Amino acid sequence: MSTAALKRVVVVGNGIAGLTTTDTLREAGFDGTTAVAMDYRVPAPAAPQTRAAA
């Protein structure tokens, strides 16, 4: 596959297949923009926990 005509690539999924795809593109000479789309929720940071004085 020739990557000469590609300027932007969107990879869906950040698992091993998605990351291998981006690595393979770079090794093949692709120097365009890559974006990795993920579908997972990141929990909000928890509030600091404090203990009441005994």
Side-chain angles (χ1 to χ4, degrees):
M1 173 178 131
S2 172
T3 60
L6 298 176
K7 295 181 182 177
R8 288 180 230 136
V9 173
V10 176
V11 177
V12 178
N14 69 329
I16 191 67
L19 299 177
T20 301
T21 299
T22 56
D23 285 345
T24 302
L25 283 168
R26 295 293 180 201
E27 289 172 2
F30 178 71
D31 62 353
T33 303
T34 59
V36 179
M38 302 169 272
D39 183 25
Y40 66 90
R41 308 237 187 276
V42 177
Q49 300 293 317
T50 58
R51 291 187 173 197

